[in-house]
């Protein structure tokens, strides 16, 4: 009935739209078999149960020994399945979980960041990530794609992200490094909406952004110490008015830049 129990029993029980958690260490009497039902989960193509045994930022597919009897009614978005005991349970698209990306990947369905800590963390070079037109959706916080290099080692390079719809995060894409430049990468056919920042790019060079549309409330682009970045067919849109582009010590070229509903006194740039 859309009731959230996020603070029940001092936070040891959390029941919300697509998240069920019981701290069985403190509430051991609740560690029993149960029937779980989630409502209003429309938009899935091929959903499946997922489980976390560590914390709410690390999920994996829930196998038949723990989760069974899965049923999805697409017209109402109602999901039900049985569990053998309690930890953290939710629902996500089959083979489409948030997590670390260290090799090339093509999505097979929509992805939902049900926790809000951010979805994909790319930490290896020579990666092609193709969303294949599917959505990556947050819950209003975190980062859709975090592509960064911190600590020792070489900089990241030759990363391609394409055909993605990224929505409902604080930051759509974060590209940064405190080691050396984030190099020689491209982002094509990207649609970012309902975010505070579209792209945040720092200490990077030789980047191509093509066919990118951003609807953000604070900054469409924030670029710091960026060299030789090219934007082709970039659309910046806002229903509330925001700074389109912020540049700091950066060398950037724009081709076919369109801005809609940006503050005219700012010229869309700060």
């Amino acid at each position: 009935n859309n009731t959230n129990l996020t603070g029940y029993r001092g936070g040891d029980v959390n029941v919300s739209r697509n998240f069920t958690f019981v701290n069985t260490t403190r509430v051991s009497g609740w560690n029993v078999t149960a029937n779980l039902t989630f409502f209003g989960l429309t938009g899935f193509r091929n959903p499946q149960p997922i489980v976390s045994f560590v914390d709410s930022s690390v999920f994996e597919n829930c196998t038949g020994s723990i989760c069974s009897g899965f049923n999805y009614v697409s017209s109402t978005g109602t999901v039900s399945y049985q569990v053998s005991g309690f930890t953290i349970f939710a629902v996500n698209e089959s083979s489409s979980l948030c997590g670390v990306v260290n090799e090339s990947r093509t999505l097979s369905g929509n992805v939902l960041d049900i926790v809000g800590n951010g979805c994909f963390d790319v930490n290896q070079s020579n990666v092609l990530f193709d969303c294949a037109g599917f959505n990556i959706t947050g819950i209003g916080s975190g980062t859709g794609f975090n592509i960064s290099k911190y600590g020792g080692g070489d900089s990241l390079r030759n990363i391609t992200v394409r055909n993605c719809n990224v929505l409902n995060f604080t930051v759509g894409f974060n590209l940064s490094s405190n080691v050396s430049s984030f190099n020689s990468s491209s982002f094509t056919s990207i649609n970012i909406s309902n975010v505070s920042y579209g792209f945040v790019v720092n200490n990077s060079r030789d980047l191509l952004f093509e066919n990118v549309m951003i609807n953000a409330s604070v900054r469409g682009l924030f670029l710091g110490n960026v060299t030789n970045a090219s934007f082709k067919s970039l659309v910046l849109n806002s229903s509330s008015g925001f700074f389109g582009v912020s540049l700091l010590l950066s060398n950037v070229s724009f081709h076919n830049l369109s801005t809609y509903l940006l503050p005219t006194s700012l010229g869309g740039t700060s």
Side-chain angles (χ1 to χ4, degrees), residues 14-261:
N14 183 336
V15 179
S16 53
R17 181 173 178 269
N18 187 11
F19 189 89
T20 299
F21 161 69
V22 174
N23 185 343
T24 55
T25 301
R26 292 166 55 91
V27 194
S28 58
W30 287 35
N31 191 18
V32 296
T33 59
N35 298 315
L36 303 183
T37 303
F38 301 85
F39 299 96
L41 302 184
T42 57
F44 284 108
R45 292 163 56 93
N46 187 25
Q48 68 177 20
I50 57 176
V51 61
S52 174
F53 300 104
V54 182
D55 58 48
S56 59
S57 65
V58 181
F59 278 90
E60 59 187 78
N61 296 330
C62 193
T63 62
S65 62
I66 301 170
C67 300
S68 60
F70 185 85
N71 183 62
Y72 176 55
V73 181
S74 59
S75 60
T76 61
T78 302
V79 172
S80 60
Y81 58 92
Q82 295 80 50
V83 297
S84 59
F86 259 103
T87 175
I88 306 174
F89 295 99
V91 178
N92 211 335
E93 199 74 57
S94 296
S95 303
S96 297
L97 295 176
C98 294
V100 174
V101 178
N102 51 28
E103 61 184 1
S104 294
R105 178 175 178 182
T106 299
L107 293 184
S108 59
N110 296 325
V111 180
L112 176 64
D113 175 20
I114 64 174
V115 181
N117 292 335
C119 197
F120 292 113
D121 188 353
V122 181
N123 62 9
Q124 295 292 327
S125 297
N126 304 311
V127 166
L128 167 61
F129 195 107
D130 192 340
C131 296
F134 290 108
N135 298 339
I136 300 170
T137 306
I139 58 173
S141 60
T143 301
F145 278 86
N146 184 54
I147 306 174
S148 59
K149 187 72 172 181
Y150 293 92
D154 296 331
S155 62
L156 296 179
R157 62 179 61 244
N158 192 30
I159 292 173
T160 299
V161 181
R162 65 190 185 194
N163 305 320
C164 297
N165 301 309
V166 178
L167 57 154
N168 207 26
F169 290 93
T170 301
V171 178
F173 285 77
N174 175 54
L175 320 176
S176 61
S177 172
N178 72 343
V179 183
S180 56
S181 295
F182 174 83
N183 303 332
S184 306
S185 297
S186 64
F187 304 85
T188 60
S189 299
I190 306 295
N191 190 339
I192 304 172
S193 61
N194 198 22
V195 297
S196 297
Y197 297 85
F199 277 90
V200 176
V201 187
N202 291 289
N203 301 326
S204 303
R205 61 181 175 85
D206 301 329
L207 305 179
L208 172 64
F209 303 82
E210 188 167 12
N211 296 323
V212 173
M213 178 178 289
I214 301 172
N215 191 324
S217 61
V218 180
R219 293 283 192 281
L221 302 172
F222 183 89
L223 310 175
N225 194 26
V226 176
T227 303
N228 193 29
S230 178
F231 290 84
K232 298 181 179 180
S233 298
L234 169 67
V235 177
L236 301 176
N237 192 8
S238 175
S239 59
S240 59
F242 74 128
F243 288 100
V245 181
S246 292
L247 302 177
L248 177 64
L249 300 176
S250 296
N251 177 18
V252 180
S253 64
F254 294 95
H255 307 273
N256 297 326
L257 169 64
S258 300
T259 60
Y260 298 93
L261 299 178

